[in-house]
Every structure is written in C-alpha cells, then in structure tokens.
Amino acid sequence: MNWLGLLIIIIQSFVIALAVTTAFAYLTLFERRLLARFQNRVGPNRAGPNGFLQPVADAVKLFFKEDIVPSAADKAVYLLAPAIAVIPAIIIWAVIPFGCLNIDWNYQACFAESSSGVNNILQIADINVGVLYLLAITSIGVYGITLAGWASNNKYSMMGGIRSTAQLISYELALGTAVLAVVMTFSTLSTHELVYHQGVLWGIVPQFLAFVIFMIASTAEVVRAPFDLVEAEQELVGGYNTEYGSMKFALFFMTEYIKLIAVSAMAVTFFFGGWRFPGLEMLGAGMEELAGPVVASIAVGLASLGSFLLKLVGFLFLSVWIRASWPRIRYDRLMDLGWKWLLPLGLINLAATAVAFVLIESFVLASFMLLAFSLLSLAIAAGINRVPKPIDNVTYVSDVRSRAETGQ
Amino acid sequence: MTILEVPTPHDITEPALAGTTETMVLNMGPHHPSTHGVLRLVLELDGEIVISAAPDVGFLHTGIEKNMESKTYQKALVMTDRMDYLAPLSNNLCYALAVEKLMQVEIPERVQVIRVLLVELQRISSHLVWLGTHALDLAAMSVFLYAMREREQILDIFELVSGARMMTSYIRIGGLAYDITADFLPTVDALVEVMPSRIDEYEDLLTGNPIWLERTVGVGAIDGTSAVAYGLTGANLRATGVPYDVRKAQPYSGYETYEFQVPIGKNGDIYDRYRVRMAEMRQSVLICRQAVERLRAIGPGPYVTPDRKVAPPPKSEITHSMESLIHHFKLWTEGFKPPVGDAYVSIESPRGSLGCYVVSDGGPKPWRVHFRSPSLINLQGLHHMAKGRLVADLVALIASLDPVLGEVDR
C-alpha cells in the first residue's frame, strides 16, 4: 500500500468517526423531538432554531460536570470500561458501505460482483470477512457494560451488569443465526458483495424470518426499548451507568446510540439492499451520457448515500416509535424469548434456507418459497406464544351491601 | 386465619449484618425513581428474586395530625390537602364530614351534589396519575403524558372553582369555600364528553398489549381473604373480588341516590387492579354526568349551610346585620366549639377507604385528629404480594398499589 492510500484511509476513518459521533448527537435530538411529537409535547426547541443546538448544549454541559470516581470502585476498570464500550461501537463502521462513490470515476465498478476494483470511498474497508467482523465487534461491546457494572461497586450497577451479560449472550446466538442465514443466501461474507447480490431481490424477501429475528435480537443487543433492562431506570435506577457521570457517562450514552445506528445500518445492508435502489444504475448511465464519467460517479455516489441514509432513518424512526409505545419486557421473559423462541426459529430458518437453495434452482422462486415459509412459521410461533388476555375478570356489582352481608 | 407477614427492615438487615445469610440486601429508596416518592424498601434478594420486602416509612413525615391539634377546626382543614396530594378534595371532604358529624350540621343538597361531583372528578384525576405512573414504571412512557393531558383539564376545573389547582381547600366545614362559577358546568360537560373516548385510548395502548399482559397478569396476586386480613381497601381490595366500596356500604353525601356500579376483579393481580381502576374511571364519569344534571335542575342556591354557628354569613349580610357581624367575628377569631365527643367518618378516596377520626374536648381546636390512610395500610400487604417475584414485578406492584407517600406518613 502506498502512502497516498494510507492517507486516504486515515482521512476516511477520521471523517467517519466524526460523522458517526455527530450522527449520535443529532439522533438524540431526533429521538427527543419525535418522542415529544408522539406524546403531545413540543420537545427541546430552545437552543438554536428548532432546538438544533441542543446536542451541543448537552455536550457542553456534560463536559463541565465534575468527574467523580466512587471511592470504593475498582479504579482502573472503572475508568477503562467506557472506552471498552465506545471503541467497538465506532469501529463497527469500518466495513459498512454507506454508498458507492468510485474514485476512479467508473460508476459501473459499483455494480460489479467483485469488490477488488470498486475503490469505493464511501466504505473504509471491504474485507472478505466483513460480516464476521461485524458480529465479532458487536459482541465485544458487552465487556464495557459488564465491567462498568462490576467496577462501580454498586448493587444496582452490578445487577445491570449481570442483566447485560445474560441478555447479550442469549441474543448473540439468535443474531448469529439470522446473519448466517443471510450469508447462506448470498454466499458471501463481504458487505460489498452482499449489497451487490441484493440487486435482484432485497434480502428481506428470502430472509423475512431472519429479518424479524435480526430486528428483535439487535434491539436487545443494543439494549433499546423494549429490551432496555440493563439500564431500566424504574428498576435499577441507572443500571450499569448509575455511578458514572460527566464525560464517562456521555461515552456510554454515545455507545448506546452509535450501536443503535450501527445495527440499523447492518439491517439496511443485510435486508434492505444497502445503498442500492431500483434505477440507480440507470441514473449512472444517464448521467454518464449527459455529463461524463466523473459526474456520473459522483451522482451515483450521492444518490446511493442518500438512499442508504433514508433507509437508516426509517429504522431509527421505528426504534423511537417502539420506545414511545411499548412497555418493557421482563428479565425472565426476555431470556425465555431469546432461548426458547428466537434461537429455535433461527435454526429452523437456517435449515429451510439450506434446503430451499439446494432444491430450487431459481433464486427468485426459492426466495418466495422462503418468504411463504417465514410468514407461516412466524404465524405459528406468534400463535403458540400468544399471551391470553383474561376476559370477564372485571364484573360489576351494584348492591354492595347485600353481597357483603351474605358473606361473599 | 391468615398469618400476616409484615417484615421490618431490621428483620432483613440484622441477619445480613451478622453475616449469616447468602442473600443480597438491596436498599431501594427512599430516593429511587419508582418508589412513588420517598418510600424506602429493604429487599432481600436472591439474584433478582425478592425473598422479602420490608417497607420503611416515615421519610415524608410532616406531623399533619399533630399540627391539626393546634389549629381551629376550620384552619386545620387546610392541612388535609397536603396528605394525599393527588386527591386533596377527598381529604377535605373526609375531614369536613367528620367535623360536620360531630356538630350535626345539615348540609344543603346543592352543596352535596357539588361535593360528589368534585370528588368524582378528583377520583378520575388521581386514577389518571396512577395510570400514568404505573405505565411509566413499566416503561410505557407515552401513556403518562396522555394521562397528564386529561388531568390538566380536571385541574383546570379545580382552578376554576377554588383558584388552586392542587391544594384546593375548597370543601369546607359546612359547605364549600365559594360558590361555583357560571362556566363551571360547561367545563365539566366538556370533560365528561371526552373522557370515555380518552379512557378507550389508554386501554387501546395497554389492555391488549402482549408485553403489558405478561408484566401484569398473575403478578402480585393476593386472594380476597388475605386482602381483607391485611386491611387492603379500594381498588386493591376490589380487584380480589371482594365487593367493598364505602360509597355503597356506608353512603355519604347522598351517594345512595346515584346510579353507579362497583367494578370488582377476580384474581387480585396487577392486571385486575388495572382493569378495576379503569372501570372505576368510567363509573366516575357516569356519576359526574348525573351530578351535573342535578345541579342544572337545582339551579343557583346556597353553597354553605345556613347554620351561622358553623359557616360564615355571606359578605353582603355582614354590612346590614349586627348578628351576622358577630357570627363572622366569632368564627374568625375563636372558631366554633363542637360538643365534647368524637366522630369517625370513612369515605371512598381514590386510594381506598379513607377514615377520619376527630375527638373534641369542647374547645375550638380538635383534641385529636387521626386519619386512617389507605396508602399506608395497603402497603402492609407488599411483602405478601412481592415475595418470590422479580424486582421488576415489585416495581409494577408498588405502582399498582398506588400509594401516596404524603398520606402514608402524614
């Protein structure tokens, strides 16, 4: 690798790290404004136009908070934990293709299966084990939370830490099976190739079941509502971050939101065609004819980036929506759901995927067969797992005295 | 015969300090997000399973009962607002009824209708806070703000009649503080109109939600016999299927003339308490409708008893009548002197059977006032309902018991 390539990668990493932290800041604003809309409120709108500077104000406030270390804490681990949590959250982004902007000004390379000639500036690294990398890095994050809970020397923190360990381990498996099914469908571990293969059909069609499992497991993985047991404020005060303040708390906060964006980006990449959308290739061809290859590349790059971000925002909206409407699931039910439902469903899906693609030649036909299978199995699972709603448990009596006297 | 188990914090902390236990002692509260104020619970936990839960009360002790002994009967009424701060009008009513019973004052019908109307509105507003915080404790955060929206409307009505939104002191001994205003009835109409559909909205969000059902059905259950033995009242008792409601059992303020039903549950779990309270809100709306109708039929009239020994004469009379001036002077300088004796009145407050016991030694100040506060007594059953459940269930359980710590500690 020459020094120029190295420089480009350093700049790319720098830009993406900054972009991701900025995205986190504005995601908090997005969430607060949106939640306010769901709840008949206005939300933060004082700092800057429409509250646009609110994240800045929040960050400044946290910077100026006193940095406290509890006297009984395990100091080294206590200080290290936020870093352990936040680093994986940021380095996840290395393999995610945000779009496709070919810097050799050849937009067609974006639509080629081989990732060798892509030279995509909107993806830092297209490594051939990209998907494994994603899984590996997302699981490292649990250490930060667990260690934080343990090192704080606080009972609530420890309970949060224990919950996080249990929760993340259980959902890691389900997440793995869902991603594995996608990998089996498209026979690749490279994220660029995953996106390439979704040119025909988005991953959600053959892997609908995997998508559902992925959504549930990834929400649990990033401890978002309704799986936010780790920091359930009503139960554990602050959970693992009870004893954290100032920027150390901000790092945990950041981790959580960046991971939320990251798993949403993963969902887009695995199931919603990544940066692709129908007509993108035509756009490139048209622009090339009109204004030459440079403009065509840039147009494809911007359009693909826009499409990726749009899909991403869709997922983030969904996440906020869920947070606004649903109660929190209970610890034991969470484990139950992970081990007794998601994991078996994931395994069944793996088997079905294998059988479908071996038996049926046509990719499209196999995909739709799998979609039908997914819907069927989901319906069955939902039917068995349905919580019966008690009926007639409230009756009305009007003559209380006589009933009380008869001794009922 | 049910054996009552109400562990004290010492029962849990002493063996733990002696090092003879393998369990974890968790001090939950007094500043914890979901102990509804300053309730302190000492928990003995095995992992996340609650083995023993000992409520420790007294962090909000304000000495209200003792304070009332040094104030005249009228002035003492202001303190009752501060007990159950989510239902000040119910407290006003309970105290006023007790003193009126002591003095044997006749209350005009119009006043009684207004009292019933206000107390039922208070019940709805209090249940709305319960619903909001209960849902919030299970992390269904939007319900809280929706409930606050309607509560706001009700507080506006209180502001309209009394000038205060929460600490109203509106129901006075012998009647009310002032007459209702002209736009009172239309405002109540507007609320009564929207309320049923709003209750439907809350139920849409919660009643059939699978996570809500998982968190509430069968959790924190208590059977009717134990509930009676622990002295639970209100919706917590009715959820177990025991049909006890003071409004029906010992009617006051003319409740026997209203048509309403008492919803009762079956299993005594959190879900049944939730359903019972939701149904109660609907019944309260019905009572409000009837009261509004009656008030329209009665038209303008007195807002206090004509008994000048208890309630002050109207201002206009004071300038003409010597007697009125004397009454006014005596009432505000000395207060009235009930005969020697005592009186106990219990009413159905939003939290259960609220009792007020007033003892008079013949002087202008009560010799002793005691409140039977349902919140405190409902908390006694906490250990019984919580043991063997998870911490998360305990949080839901506290919310479903709906204690108000101001009333627990008084």
Side-chain angles (χ1 to χ4, degrees), chain A residues 19-38:
Chain A
V20 161
T21 38
T22 315
F24 140 71
Y26 280 91
L27 174 60
T28 60
L29 182 67
F30 173 75
E31 175 171 41
R32 289 169 69 182
R33 294 284 288 179
L34 200 59
L35 269 182
R37 289 281 162 229
F38 279 118

Side-chain angles (χ1 to χ4, degrees), chain A residues 272-303:
Chain A
F272 279 83
W275 44 264
R276 282 185 94 111
F277 63 91
L280 184 62
E281 213 166 346
M282 273 159 63
L283 175 85
M287 289 308 278
E288 188 161 38
E289 218 163 88
L290 272 173
V294 177
V295 178
S297 282
I298 293 176
V300 167
L302 291 182

Side-chain angles (χ1 to χ4, degrees), chain B residues 180-192:
Chain B
I180 51 170
T181 52
D183 42 359
F184 173 67
L185 285 182
T187 325
V188 177
D189 276 340
L191 177 89
V192 169

Side-chain angles (χ1 to χ4, degrees), chain A residues 44-60:
Chain A
N45 68 347
R46 297 286 106 182
N50 272 318
F52 209 67
L53 293 177
Q54 187 66 40
V56 182
D58 290 342
V60 169

Side-chain angles (χ1 to χ4, degrees), chain B residues 130 222 227 232-241 268-269 273 276-277 280 351-352 374-375 378-379 385 397 399-403:
Chain B
W130 154 79
I222 188 167
L232 300 195
T233 46
N236 301 322
L237 174 67
R238 287 190 289 274
T240 63
D269 55 7
R273 281 174 218 145
V276 164
R277 285 203 179 92
E280 269 181 30
R351 259 148 278 283
S375 295
N378 287 348
L379 274 180
M385 292 180 252
L397 180 61
S400 79
L401 287 177
D402 193 21

Side-chain angles (χ1 to χ4, degrees), chain A residues 38-41 155-156 163 233-235 324 326-328 330 332-333 393-398 400-401, chain B residues 25 27-28 32-34 48 136 138-139 141-142 145-146 149 214-215 243 248-249 262 264-265 272 393:
Chain A
F38 279 118
Q39 297 168 346
N40 246 322
R41 297 185 285 128
K155 287 172 186 170
Y156 288 112
R163 280 185 179 191
E233 76 163 32
Q234 289 88 356
E235 294 152 29
W326 276 357
R328 181 182 301 122
R330 204 174 55 201
D332 59 331
R333 293 293 302 165
N393 65 334
V394 170
T395 46
Y396 291 89
V397 289
S398 46
V400 167
R401 191 183 277 175
Chain B
V25 175
N27 184 31
M28 191 170 169
H32 183 278
S34 54
E48 288 225 6
L136 195 62
L138 299 185
M141 63 198 300
S142 295
L145 289 132
Y146 298 147
R149 178 184 60 193
E214 270 178 7
R215 292 293 306 267
K248 289 276 187 194
V262 177
I264 57 167
D272 277 15
D393 290 336

Side-chain angles (χ1 to χ4, degrees), chain B residues 193-214:
Chain B
E193 200 59 42
V194 296
M195 207 56 218
S197 64
R198 296 287 160 83
I199 299 173
D200 290 342
E201 271 179 31
Y202 313 140
E203 293 223 43
D204 278 349
L205 267 170
L206 297 176
T207 308
N209 185 315
I211 302 180
W212 181 262
L213 290 172
E214 270 178 7

Side-chain angles (χ1 to χ4, degrees), chain B residues 21-317:
Chain B
T21 51
E22 296 275 300
T23 49
M24 178 165 94
V25 175
L26 184 69
N27 184 31
M28 191 170 169
H31 44 221
H32 183 278
S34 54
T35 51
H36 289 234
V38 287
L39 173 65
R40 175 177 175 233
L41 293 173
V42 179
L43 304 179
E44 189 182 357
L45 297 179
D46 179 10
E48 288 225 6
I49 297 168
V50 177
I51 297 174
S52 183
D56 185 12
V57 300
F59 289 94
L60 201 61
H61 185 68
T62 39
I64 284 178
E65 286 176 358
K66 188 70 190 164
N67 247 324
M68 289 169 89
E69 291 170 18
S70 61
K71 296 194 163 33
T72 60
Y73 282 92
Q74 302 105 307
K75 287 179 187 169
L77 183 131
V78 178
M79 315 218 69
T80 60
D81 283 328
R82 276 83 184 161
M83 286 186 340
D84 180 354
Y85 43 79
L86 294 180
L89 282 161
S90 304
N91 303 344
N92 291 167
L93 179 66
C94 187
Y95 174 71
L97 283 177
V99 180
E100 282 158 11
K101 189 173 173 190
L102 201 59
M103 312 252 312
Q104 297 185 329
V105 191
E106 278 295 308
I107 303 298
E109 206 213 326
R110 180 165 181 269
V111 174
Q112 298 212 359
V113 176
I114 298 174
R115 282 179 172 185
V116 166
L117 175 54
L118 287 172
V119 168
E120 288 307 318
L121 287 176
Q122 186 77 79
R123 189 183 316 280
I124 299 175
S125 89
S126 170
H127 279 2
L128 283 174
V129 177
W130 154 79
L131 173 70
T133 49
H134 187 14
L136 195 62
D137 280 350
L138 299 185
M141 63 198 300
S142 295
V143 180
F144 177 73
L145 289 132
Y146 298 147
M148 284 296 144
R149 178 184 60 193
E150 272 69 69
R151 178 167 181 262
E152 193 70 15
Q153 242 178 317
I154 298 177
L155 292 188
D156 282 345
I157 297 175
F158 294 159
E159 192 180 358
L160 193 66
V161 293
S162 73
R165 293 159 65 76
M166 287 182 75
M167 302 298 135
T168 52
S169 296
Y170 182 63
I171 296 177
R172 298 277 169 92
I173 299 158
L176 306 165
Y178 331 97
D179 201 0
I180 51 170
T181 52
D183 42 359
F184 173 67
L185 285 182
T187 325
V188 177
D189 276 340
L191 177 89
V192 169
E193 200 59 42
V194 296
M195 207 56 218
S197 64
R198 296 287 160 83
I199 299 173
D200 290 342
E201 271 179 31
Y202 313 140
E203 293 223 43
D204 278 349
L205 267 170
L206 297 176
T207 308
N209 185 315
I211 302 180
W212 181 262
L213 290 172
E214 270 178 7
R215 292 293 306 267
T216 55
V217 176
V219 176
I222 188 167
D223 60 294
T225 333
S226 310
V228 171
Y230 278 105
L232 300 195
T233 46
N236 301 322
L237 174 67
R238 287 190 289 274
T240 63
V242 178
Y244 179 74
D245 186 318
V246 186
R247 291 175 295 175
K248 289 276 187 194
Q250 297 156 0
Y252 52 91
S253 292
Y255 264 113
E256 65 277 13
T257 58
Y258 292 87
E259 269 189 34
F260 68 99
Q261 289 176 312
V262 177
I264 57 167
K266 205 156 70 184
N267 309 319
D269 55 7
I270 297 179
Y271 186 73
D272 277 15
R273 281 174 218 145
Y274 157 75
R275 292 294 306 277
V276 164
R277 285 203 179 92
M278 293 310 261
E280 269 181 30
M281 280 203 259
R282 292 180 196 278
Q283 293 297 321
S284 289
V285 172
L286 288 184
I287 301 177
C288 286
R289 281 219 177 99
Q290 296 171 40
V292 168
E293 260 168 43
R294 284 185 197 190
L295 218 45
R296 286 231 160 82
I298 296 171
Y303 65 91
V304 283
T305 166
D307 186 348
R308 296 283 187 259
K309 302 285 179 210
V310 178
K315 198 98 185 175
S316 57
E317 242 177 65

